[in-house]
Amino acid sequence: MGCVIGFSWPTPHDNAVSVLLDGKLVFSSEEERFTRHKHAHLEPPLRAMVAAFRYLRERHGLKPTDVDAFALNYDPSLAPWSMRRDLYFFAAFASTQAALTVPTGQDMPEVVRRTAGGVLGGFRNSALHARIFLRHAFQKAGSLEEPRAPIIPVEHHLAHAASAYYFSGFANAAVLTLDGVGEVDATVLWKVRGGEFEKLGAVPANRGSLGFLYDFVCMQMGFETLEGPGKVMGLAPYGRPTEKGDQSFQGMLEVGSDPLRPYRLVGGHPPRGVSVQKLGRWYRELAGSVVPESVGRWDPRGEVDARAAGLAWSLQHLLEVAVLHLAQLLRERSGESDLALAGGVALNAKANMEVYYAKIFHDLFVFPAASDSGATAGAAAWVAHHHLGERIPQERIRTIYLGPEYDEAAVKRAAERGKWTASFVGDDVAPLADLVAKGGVITFYQGRAELGPRALGNRSIVADPRNAATWKALNAIKGREWWRPLAPSLLESRLQDYFESPVPHPFMVLMLRLKQEASTRVPAVAHVDRTARPQSVRPEDNPRWYALLRAFEERTGEGLVVNTSFNLAGEPLVETPEEAIRSFALGGFDALYLQGWLIRKRSA
């Protein structure tokens, strides 16, 4: 039984752990779910690793020492010295953090000694602190043995490409990976045939990072790093192109027909090399050249600012132009008819939609956890295939309910602990459908948590899509900006009733255009540009979730509900039953379905 664990190291955000067993992805979870800090900035994936070890022990009888290999989603040896320096100190910091969580702290002198040795030695050993980190994870998991399995770094964009390819079901594919920066590159064009990856071209971050540009413009507009892009994508449809703003953004992008130099960003003073500090200065300069300082003082919780919305539209348009150009170029140069996408930029569901409707490729797959967290799954798959000789099943991933499991006793304790009106209803979702059909807002918690940023029926908030007022009301309950769109989950058999030229899509990383008539029937999920980011559901994918959609359809005629993530503003998805109870208590929800328990708040 071949076992490979991929984990984030030493990337500084969206840290996660993924487990492949006999070539199949069986576990994946993000550190943010345990620390409760979105994106887990500078937080090593210690708790996620311990959860992975616990899963392997309880479900498969495997010990930490039974792991055949560990895969890293980054290879510092491929980065220039300036990047290695920054990442080495982060790795030292992270392994020290891990040591502090072990009661004995017995390895602290070694952490200090090896950090100093690494600095003096020129940062030669990329896996040094990863092994120290694993030692602490072994101890936290109750193992006093040493981690002896090989630790194999995987080039960052190769890890992204592997996540897109191995879980797409394609035998051969063109693959496009886009993010902020890997070791050097920001964008890479790949051709993959039978699991062999050929790099056709790449854009280094000091020539043009679409991910950095989008994020830095969002920060200049007053949004938080990594959080801004999703919000600004939702803000863009409120905007209109302004002559000044549109010209500024259009002049920033130069495209070419050579896959080795497919585009570049123009403006400011691009650095000659790649380092965190130099790249930061350049992208702040680019963002500052197009975003007036006054826009950064706009209150996003007030009325939509026309200038901010116009800038959002222009930024989104630049991204779509660039992605469509890359897709067309990749189609021509790879000769492949299927496309797979990954990297943080691939979470931009609107850009993905433009590629889909352009019909450049026969089929399109986007890895659902496209950001760095998902690259851990790709790194594990690549190591399993290329180092251990494992066969990766050639099938498209259909489920990403891959987080830790919580037994029925723990759920029952959580349900009965507070003074709630609680009753056990099991699989009977009829009372929930009744509540939603009458305008109630419920939370739905069951089973293992979803991997990635989208709630897909195991950590969801559910509401009636027929009432336009649901939009603002639900955003207010969650503490979000009122203008942000809500997504639908629907019966896969009803896709044609709601969307133009739809394709089954279970992961909410592809927008589709709503039909005009459908958008008037379900206004709560129709964005102002008549798009929505759907999850299509089959009974075999998630029986209880499917049953809720069917029950709602029986009551209303609509096979679609509002589905947004079960969390309050600024928090990750709820992970444990206790966190579900806490968010339910603090939010203005009418009921909580907690893995068979129906919980209501007591009336005064």
Side-chain angles (χ1 to χ4, degrees):
M1 184 179 287
C3 180
V4 181
I5 293 183
F7 67 99
S8 307
W9 196 269
T11 47
H13 61 82
D14 292 303
N15 300 309
V17 173
S18 297
V19 180
L20 256 75
L21 208 54
D22 290 337
K24 298 197 75 170
L25 185 61
V26 297
F27 178 94
S28 194
S29 190
E30 296 154 275
E31 186 69 11
E32 68 169 23
R33 306 292 176 84
F34 305 97
T35 65
R36 308 308 298 156
H37 305 140
K38 290 196 81 169
H39 303 291
H41 291 277
L42 299 179
E43 294 176 334
L46 179 65
R47 295 160 186 83
M49 183 68 76
V50 172
F53 287 150
R54 185 183 306 117
Y55 168 83
L56 286 171
R57 183 184 70 243
E58 294 176 354
R59 285 293 297 269
H60 301 282
L62 297 177
K63 305 188 300 294
T65 50
D66 293 324
V67 177
D68 296 295
F70 292 93
L72 310 182
N73 68 342
Y74 194 92
D75 187 351
S77 71
L78 301 177
W81 184 88
S82 54
M83 288 287 281
R84 291 203 307 273
R85 175 195 60 203
D86 297 332
L87 291 164
Y88 196 96
F89 279 111
F90 166 67
F93 173 76
S95 57
T96 302
Q97 267 193 304
L100 291 171
T101 68
V102 178
T104 61
Q106 60 190 26
D107 289 320
M108 283 299 293
E110 181 179 7
V111 170
V112 175
R113 176 177 62 80
R114 292 196 175 189
T115 300
V119 173
L120 296 173
F123 318 107
R124 287 190 290 267
N125 192 341
S126 63
L128 177 72
H129 285 285
R131 193 168 294 280
I132 297 173
F133 163 79
L134 284 173
R135 183 181 301 158
H136 301 316
F138 272 43
Q139 291 177 23
K140 289 286 283 185
S143 173
L144 297 179
E145 298 183 73
E146 286 286 316
R148 303 195 184 280
I151 299 172
I152 302 167
V154 179
E155 180 186 353
H156 189 64
H157 274 269
L158 177 57
H160 276 311
S163 73
Y165 169 74
Y166 283 117
F167 304 107
S168 68
F170 299 142
N172 308 311
V175 177
L176 179 60
T177 57
L178 311 102
D179 65 3
V181 63
E183 293 83 2
V184 173
D185 295 328
T187 298
V188 182
L189 291 74
W190 305 85
K191 177 177 180 174
V192 189
R193 297 188 67 81
E196 297 301 320
F197 292 73
E198 178 187 357
K199 187 183 289 188
L200 300 180
V203 180
N206 63 335
R207 183 174 174 85
S209 168
L210 298 171
F212 272 170
L213 177 66
Y214 209 108
D215 196 34
F216 275 80
V217 170
C218 292
M219 286 190 284
Q220 191 76 14
M221 293 172 64
F223 296 100
E224 295 181 15
T225 181
L226 300 178
E227 283 294 286
K231 295 182 180 183
V232 169
M233 179 181 69
L235 177 64
Y238 293 93
R240 295 290 181 270
T242 62
E243 184 176 350
K244 181 179 178 182
D246 201 31
Q247 285 178 352
S248 298
F249 276 104
Q250 283 189 0
M252 195 177 284
L253 177 69
E254 285 186 1
V255 299
S257 59
D258 182 354
L260 296 177
R261 295 176 177 272
Y263 72 87
R264 74 183 182 112
L265 295 178
V266 179
H269 300 83
R272 291 188 176 183
V274 174
S275 74
V276 172
Q277 291 83 1
K278 290 178 180 178
L279 290 173
R281 282 196 295 269
W282 183 39
Y283 286 98
R284 277 191 293 273
E285 184 183 11
L286 289 177
S289 71
V290 292
V291 181
E293 186 177 338
S294 58
V295 171
R297 295 194 294 269
W298 166 57
D299 178 9
R301 297 184 182 277
E303 291 302 310
V304 170
D305 182 276
R307 295 169 303 166
L311 286 165
W313 187 96
S314 296
L315 176 63
Q316 179 66 28
H317 181 66
L318 177 145
L319 178 65
E320 291 167 12
V321 168
V323 172
L324 281 168
H325 169 70
L326 290 166
Q328 186 64 53
L329 185 61
L330 191 50
R331 177 73 176 90
E332 294 167 1
R333 297 308 174 100
S334 71
E336 300 297 339
S337 60
D338 297 321
L339 175 66
L341 293 171
V345 176
L347 289 175
N348 192 295
K350 177 61 163 51
N352 298 342
M353 182 191 86
E354 297 301 332
V355 174
Y356 169 71
Y357 280 120
K359 301 300 180 186
I360 298 168
F361 288 88
H362 170 72
D363 196 4
L364 170 67
F365 173 77
V366 185
F367 188 66
S371 68
D372 285 359
S373 62
T376 62
W382 192 86
V383 166
H385 185 195
H386 286 265
H387 282 263
L388 301 185
E390 294 276 346
R391 178 185 172 274
I392 309 297
Q394 191 181 311
E395 57 189 27
R396 179 161 297 190
I397 192 170
R398 283 294 308 192
T399 177
I400 54 169
Y401 308 113
L402 296 167
E405 296 177 292
Y406 301 94
D407 61 34
E408 296 299 330
V411 173
K412 183 178 180 181
R413 285 195 301 272
E416 294 180 338
R417 184 176 178 181
K419 294 183 178 181
W420 310 104
T421 301
S423 59
F424 188 77
V425 297
D427 293 335
D428 182 11
V429 294
L432 302 169
D434 288 337
L435 279 169
V436 177
K438 293 174 182 175
V441 177
I442 68 165
T443 53
F444 198 86
Y445 177 105
Q446 60 166 344
R448 301 170 68 183
E450 302 89 336
L451 171 66
R454 309 301 174 213
L456 302 170
N458 280 15
R459 303 290 188 276
S460 290
I461 297 171
V462 188
D464 189 342
R466 300 170 298 165
N467 185 352
T470 298
W471 188 336
K472 285 189 178 181
L474 190 47
N475 276 330
I477 288 172
K478 290 189 64 175
R480 305 195 326 169
E481 296 86 354
W482 65 267
W483 41 264
R484 291 174 62 185
L486 300 172
S489 289
L490 74 156
L491 302 170
E492 191 168 291
S493 59
R494 296 288 304 274
L495 272 168
Q496 293 284 351
D497 295 340
Y498 295 98
F499 293 99
E500 296 178 1
S501 303
V503 63
H505 185 73
F507 300 130
M508 284 190 180
V509 285
L510 174 69
M511 282 188 189
L512 293 173
R513 297 184 188 124
L514 280 158
K515 292 180 176 179
Q516 179 67 54
E517 184 271 336
S519 68
T520 61
R521 296 199 331 258
V522 289
V525 298
H527 203 12
V528 293
D529 59 351
R530 224 176 73 232
T531 61
R533 192 186 64 223
Q535 175 204 17
S536 59
V537 183
R538 305 180 306 179
E540 59 266 37
D541 295 334
N542 193 328
R544 277 179 179 165
W545 186 235
Y546 179 87
L548 177 60
L549 298 180
R550 283 280 294 135
F552 185 78
E553 181 187 43
E554 290 169 359
R555 286 154 178 76
T556 66
E558 301 294 353
L560 176 153
V561 298
V562 175
N563 171 20
T564 189
S565 55
F566 187 5
N567 62 290
L568 300 179
E571 297 179 350
L573 284 172
V574 298
E575 173 61 38
T576 66
E578 291 78 12
E579 286 160 6
I581 291 281
R582 188 179 302 114
S583 289
F584 169 65
L586 293 174
F589 307 111
D590 297 296
L592 163 64
Y593 179 83
L594 188 72
Q595 206 157 306
W597 290 84
L598 178 58
I599 300 173
R600 303 172 191 249
K601 295 174 180 175
R602 291 177 183 268
S603 56

